[in-house]
Amino acid sequence: MNSPLARHPLVQLTLLRFREFVREPEAVFWALIFPILLATGLGVAFRGGSTGPVNVAVTSAELARAMDGQGALAPEVLDTGAALDALRAGRVLLVVERDAHGEVVFRYDESNPEARAARMAVNEALQVAAGRVDPVSVRDDLWRETGSRYIDFLIPGLVGMGIMGNAIWGLGFAIVDARRRKLMKRIIATPMPRHLFLGSFLAWRMLLLPVEVGVPVVFGALAFGVPVRGGMVDLVVISVVGSLAFAAIGLLIASRAKTIEAVSGLMNFVMLPMWVLSGVFFSAERFPDAMQPFIAILPLSALIDALRSSMLQGVPLTGVGTELAILGAWTVSCFAVALRIFRWR
Amino acid sequence: MSRASSTPALRVQGLRKAFQDVHAVNGIDFEVRPGECFGLLGPNGAGKTTTIEICEGLTPADSGVVEVLGLRWETHAAELRQRLGIQLQETQLAEKLTVLETLELFRSFFRQGPSAAEALALVQLEEKRNARVGGLSGGQKQRLALACALVGDPALLFLDEPTTGLDPQARRQLWDLIDQFKRDGRTILLTTHYMDEAQQLCERVAIMDHGRIIAHGTPRELIASIGVEHVVAFATDRPVALAPLEAISGVKAVRTAADRVELQVTELHTCVPALLAEVDRQGLRLTSLTTHSATLEDVFVSLTGRHLRDE
């Protein structure tokens, strides 16, 4: 600790952030390890690779025979009660039975696209087995584009969620903890310039950013071939802009709270709607049109939209100007309010 | 630290501070002279911490004058922060840092002063330099807090209840350190609710109660002012009649505490035999008898009718 740089208060305060982080194993787990586990789990569950045969239940061997030779279908012969149980439990997508008049009945959930596809496939097999001859000859030419699979959709979502969580938790807990234990009051009783205390949080955010963004992106690229079509520079710019916005929001959340309980409640109150609405795990377009303008101005929506456009479609920064402007507006307004109402003790 | 000794290290005049409708500090005046250890002594809630935090520039006063090292907070805050050493009541330093890292952090805030390792030596904590703060004992944490107050080589030290909650051995160790700081020529303002601490460490003491200073002077002067040399405390198997005790020559006051009776007396060698004779005359049996020389505690009792630590 002899170099003048190491004796600068900003360096020492940033070292404090670093040491508090790496010496808290839980923090490292939630910030860095958990996103990988989540991506692995979801990536395996929704892998775009060879989709297995479609499970359907049939109530007679005659119906099952009609589906033989159709590799895409895996019929299972069950009595009616067991077949309905399997349908309820989600083990089969469709129950096929013949009623008293000899008519074939399909039971399925018509709101489930996979069940609708299964119904069409089974119907096709039954009609062909009964002698239908198709007038048009067709063949399949299969190809799968990276960038359109679920894992491609998911990784930018996890990156955005990580940036939000790490910034808000990182600032919220550390600031309120320092206030609660009167460490903040003790520090402002020294000649330390106050802006350096807050500056150290931003410096630490920027230092951790390559890790918290890099870990899921590199993992996605290596394990699933998730692309970064917009390039690393654009990814860095979008991540930095996003991280600043959430640091400002974290600072605002932590500006007055005196207990960990209070700040935890506030953080969840702020983050929960975005986890649901901002399209981390599924497209935000599933929500009603009336909600879309509101969803679009949420900072996590803007960040994730920008990340997806850049990483998956290679859209240049000029193409995500609106999203970056939304994030910038959150940064400026939250910092302005937070610095005005911040309580140092 | 050979500053013009005519300038007080700290001058407080007509200081007032109210929180909502409670007058925490209700018009107090005192001066701390360069090189002395000045004590604010009083029970919890007397206004000691509010007073010291106003002097530290952490709490604004409602009215009154505070001059620290000849400077005012309104005009010279940055300069004052460099020259003061502050130890707050109940600060918990970052538990994940080591002792040395904590001192390097605090040292980085000051222009000049001892190195982190030198500050560690000042509080005799060298063997803990690489220990995590969270693993230190109460006394060690308090010594680290003192070291944090020393890294700017301060001319004036503010210590707010430095030994509260420590065991007797750790307290004595801390007293030795504070004694050493005095010998190094530092000026100290300390608050405490331990009369023995004030008596041991302070050249001069101001006794506070309900936001006011009710007496001040050297411990010797204060004790002499109540005109009592000794206190005799005793207990009997059945209640004793108090009136005859007050009549004993040399007894200044009689107080009953929970399980005992206290006599404030001028002369031990006449009062104790007279007390024994009186107990005997009332047909009672003495179950305990102790005497001590009058202390600041007795000053507080005779001024307020209460003990410092009536809980």
Side-chain angles (χ1 to χ4, degrees):
Chain A
M1 283 301 150
N2 289 320
S3 84
L5 184 65
R7 280 188 257 121
H8 192 279
L10 183 60
V11 174
Q12 283 292 327
L13 285 163
T14 308
L15 270 174
L16 168 65
R17 304 268 70 83
F18 168 74
R19 286 162 174 158
E20 290 205 317
F21 178 76
V22 297
R23 292 174 190 176
E24 184 81 71
E26 292 93 330
V28 177
F29 173 81
W30 288 109
L32 302 179
I33 312 295
F34 178 70
I36 293 189
L37 295 180
L38 194 60
T40 310
L42 292 172
V44 168
F46 296 95
R47 69 189 179 283
S50 58
T51 33
V54 177
N55 292 320
V56 297
V58 295
T59 53
S60 70
E62 164 254 335
L63 284 168
R65 266 195 306 280
M67 291 175 215
D68 278 353
Q70 294 286 329
L73 294 173
E76 186 181 359
V77 183
L78 297 169
D79 64 47
T80 305
L84 291 179
D85 282 345
L87 183 65
R88 267 185 222 108
R91 280 188 288 109
V92 299
L93 288 166
L94 181 71
V95 172
V96 187
E97 58 187 339
R98 206 181 277 279
D99 72 3
H101 313 290
E103 201 169 23
V104 172
V105 182
F106 295 127
R107 280 178 207 260
Y108 66 106
D109 174 3
E110 108 289 359
S111 71
N112 179 347
E114 287 188 60
R116 284 205 303 269
R119 180 214 175 273
M120 286 169 64
V122 170
N123 181 43
E124 174 106 357
L126 293 179
Q127 305 295 353
V128 170
R132 188 181 81 186
V133 177
D134 293 328
V136 180
S137 163
V138 296
R139 74 186 164 84
D140 293 336
D141 176 14
L142 297 176
W143 68 301
R144 194 165 284 121
E145 190 194 8
T146 46
S148 61
R149 302 160 305 170
Y150 182 65
I151 188 72
D152 300 312
F153 179 84
L154 182 65
I155 290 286
L158 291 182
V159 170
M161 191 173 77
I163 289 175
M164 172 172 85
N166 287 327
I168 290 184
W169 271 313
L171 265 74
F173 280 128
I175 288 175
V176 173
D177 190 51
R179 186 182 290 125
R180 181 182 64 91
R181 46 178 55 231
K182 302 195 180 171
L183 178 58
M184 198 145 72
K185 182 173 165 188
R186 176 65 188 88
I187 283 182
I188 61 160
T190 72
M192 178 203 69
R194 293 183 180 192
H195 67 269
L196 291 187
F197 182 76
L198 301 179
S200 72
F201 283 95
L202 293 185
W204 171 233
R205 284 284 87 232
M206 293 303 117
L207 287 175
L208 195 58
L209 202 57
V211 185
E212 68 192 29
V213 173
V215 164
V217 168
V218 169
F219 170 80
L222 294 182
F224 298 101
V226 175
V228 187
R229 297 210 167 98
M232 292 314 274
V233 174
D234 287 13
L235 178 63
V236 167
V237 171
I238 294 169
S239 301
V240 167
V241 172
S243 188
L244 287 175
F246 287 111
I249 293 169
L251 187 69
L252 180 59
I253 291 173
S255 58
R256 295 185 84 80
K258 283 185 167 171
T259 64
I260 294 294
E261 290 78 6
V263 80
S264 301
L266 279 173
M267 290 191 295
N268 284 330
F269 177 75
V270 168
M271 288 195 286
L272 195 68
M274 289 195 268
W275 281 329
V276 176
L277 296 174
S278 290
V280 176
F281 298 101
F282 54 88
S283 171
E285 279 160 30
R286 294 196 181 197
F287 291 104
D289 286 348
M291 290 174 70
Q292 293 301 330
F294 168 72
I295 292 175
I297 60 164
L298 291 176
L300 187 59
S301 309
L303 176 59
I304 291 178
D305 286 351
L307 286 169
R308 286 204 178 113
S309 300
S310 173
M311 287 174 67
L312 305 183
Q313 295 159 34
V315 173
L317 288 180
T318 48
V320 292
T322 311
E323 285 81 1
L324 296 181
I326 289 172
L327 290 170
W330 280 102
T331 309
V332 172
S333 53
C334 288
F335 265 130
V337 177
L339 292 180
R340 188 150 303 170
I341 68 170
F342 196 83
R343 214 198 300 250
W344 284 94
R345 45 189 298 176
Chain B
M1 249 143 277
S2 57
R3 305 190 56 78
S5 54
S6 54
T7 319
L10 174 67
R11 188 168 72 87
V12 172
Q13 207 171 54
L15 190 65
R16 285 174 197 279
K17 177 73 185 180
F19 296 105
Q20 278 95 41
D21 50 352
V22 181
H23 294 281
V25 178
N26 202 356
I28 61 170
D29 311 273
F30 66 92
E31 279 187 11
V32 179
R33 299 170 191 152
E36 78 173 342
C37 177
F38 187 92
L40 286 175
L41 174 66
N44 290 330
K48 308 186 299 292
T49 294
T50 306
T51 303
I52 202 169
E53 288 192 351
I54 293 171
C55 296
E56 288 164 345
L58 290 173
T59 304
D62 291 345
S63 65
V65 175
V66 173
E67 236 175 57
V68 189
L69 303 170
L71 305 173
R72 301 280 185 98
W73 280 108
E74 300 80 37
T75 50
H76 290 87
E79 170 70 11
L80 281 172
R81 292 256 168 263
Q82 290 285 353
R83 292 172 58 188
L84 300 181
I86 289 175
Q87 173 253 315
L88 300 175
Q89 208 182 124
E90 309 176 327
T91 299
Q92 298 166 280
L93 297 163
E95 306 225 318
K96 308 261 177 225
L97 290 196
T98 69
V99 168
L100 196 65
E101 287 165 353
T102 303
L103 285 172
E104 278 165 354
L105 173 67
F106 277 86
R107 177 63 187 84
S108 75
F109 302 149
F110 292 87
R111 272 198 305 264
Q112 50 140 26
S115 71
E118 287 162 354
L120 211 51
L122 289 175
V123 298
Q124 294 160 22
L125 215 54
E126 294 104 318
E127 79 277 16
K128 289 285 173 188
R129 56 185 289 146
N130 293 319
R132 294 278 175 88
V133 172
L136 298 181
S137 72
Q140 289 164 342
K141 280 184 179 154
Q142 208 57 354
R143 273 145 73 196
L144 177 57
L146 279 187
C148 290
L150 292 173
V151 289
D153 192 21
L156 176 56
L157 264 177
F158 291 108
L159 308 179
D160 195 1
E161 307 217 345
T163 66
T164 295
L166 299 186
D167 61 64
Q169 196 195 343
R171 287 181 68 202
R172 194 150 288 281
Q173 209 170 8
L174 222 65
W175 289 355
D176 290 344
L177 287 175
I178 295 171
D179 252 336
Q180 183 59 50
F181 302 160
K182 283 162 59 181
R183 281 201 293 280
D184 295 343
R186 298 183 204 276
T187 309
I188 300 171
L189 173 65
L190 80 81
T191 72
T192 181
H193 57 247
Y194 298 115
M195 56 86 194
D196 52 341
E197 186 162 291
Q199 211 156 340
Q200 171 94 16
L201 294 175
C202 300
E203 274 80 37
R204 292 190 308 131
V205 170
I207 299 181
M208 282 191 81
D209 194 35
H210 298 309
R212 295 176 191 277
I213 291 179
I214 54 174
H216 71 279
T218 67
R220 192 183 295 271
E221 285 167 1
L222 288 169
I223 293 164
S225 73
I226 58 172
V228 168
E229 303 284 312
H230 302 279
V231 174
V232 178
F234 70 96
T236 47
D237 54 349
R238 282 174 291 121
V240 64
L242 297 177
L245 298 177
E246 286 162 358
I248 295 173
S249 144
V251 171
K252 290 269 181 172
V254 177
R255 260 176 52 84
T256 53
D259 54 349
R260 63 191 194 280
V261 179
E262 285 181 4
L263 308 181
Q264 299 189 332
V265 308
T266 50
E267 305 269 333
L268 265 189
H269 65 278
T270 57
C271 290
V272 171
L275 168 65
L276 294 179
E278 178 57 30
V279 168
D280 199 37
R281 196 188 63 74
Q282 292 188 23
L284 304 172
R285 208 162 50 79
L286 212 53
T287 54
S288 82
L289 174 70
T290 59
T291 73
H292 64 260
S293 302
T295 64
L296 288 175
E297 178 91 18
D298 302 308
V299 176
F300 188 80
V301 170
S302 83
L303 289 173
T304 67
R306 309 192 315 276
H307 278 274
L308 273 168
R309 305 188 65 205
D310 275 341
E311 243 109 28

